[in-house]
Amino acid sequence: MINSVVLMGRLTFDPELRTTSNGISVVSFQVACDRNYQRAGEERKADFIDVTAWRQTAEFISRYFRTGSMIAIEGSIQTDSYTDKDGNKRKKVQVVANNVSFCGSKAESGNSNPVYNQPAPSYASADNSDFEEIVDDDDDLPF
């Protein structure tokens, strides 16, 4: 069976890292994903999706993502049934994130981490001295 979800959107609030009684990191947040279809004359609509991440993924999210940050998420859908305080049966649907990635520009994320503020290395001036030119010699091919 397949239960796979891929989302890209913006965080609607700052993720807050918590720790379970067993010492496992967990973070919950919400992502706003714009809908593809927009009726003429109407404002664009978005879906607000609850996401939970565990362990190192949770720590990564809490460290580098804030309200408005663009994020890509790969995970699965999880549903939970419960009874609310009034005795009504409810169902909660959320995405459990397995992998997350940065999206958008560095300036857009507002990240002040010095690792991300360094210029990208230049590869245009690579040394080619250890490469050997291949001569087009088809005589030794077996076909």
Side-chain angles (χ1 to χ4, degrees):
M1 291 181 225
I2 298 173
N3 181 353
S4 184
V5 175
V6 177
L7 301 169
M8 186 170 77
R10 295 192 182 276
L11 273 69
T12 60
F13 56 86
D14 285 347
E16 185 177 323
L17 186 66
R18 297 172 304 184
T19 306
T20 67
S21 58
N22 295 336
I24 298 172
S25 299
V26 61
V27 68
S28 296
F29 57 98
Q30 190 176 68
V31 176
C33 300
D34 288 340
R35 292 187 180 176
N36 292 332
Y37 180 74
Q38 178 180 351
R39 289 188 176 152
E42 286 188 8
E43 193 173 313
R44 181 174 288 275
K45 293 183 179 178
D47 293 301
F48 297 88
I49 301 165
D50 294 325
V51 182
T52 301
W54 296 87
R55 297 177 178 81
Q56 292 89 352
T57 304
E59 293 167 8
F60 177 77
I61 292 166
S62 69
R63 178 174 290 158
Y64 295 109
F65 292 90
R66 298 289 172 258
T67 302
S69 296
M70 183 72 83
I71 189 171
I73 301 164
E74 179 273 320
S76 59
I77 293 176
Q78 181 175 311
T79 60
D80 293 313
S81 298
Y82 65 96
T83 304
D84 67 13
K85 62 182 178 181
D86 298 326
N88 300 316
K89 292 192 181 249
R90 302 282 184 187
K91 184 185 264 188
K92 178 180 180 181
V93 178
Q94 67 180 349
V95 171
V96 177
N98 296 326
N99 295 303
V100 298
S101 299
F102 294 108
C103 296
S105 67
K106 289 184 233 176
E108 199 173 59
S109 68
N111 196 334
S112 61
N113 188 324
V115 172
Y116 297 104
N117 293 332
Q118 296 176 358
S122 174
Y123 298 105
S125 61
D127 180 21
N128 295 331
S129 62
D130 59 340
F131 288 96
E132 180 180 321
E133 184 176 339
I134 299 174
V135 178
D136 190 17
D137 185 14
D138 292 338
D139 292 341
D140 61 340
L141 293 176
F143 49 88

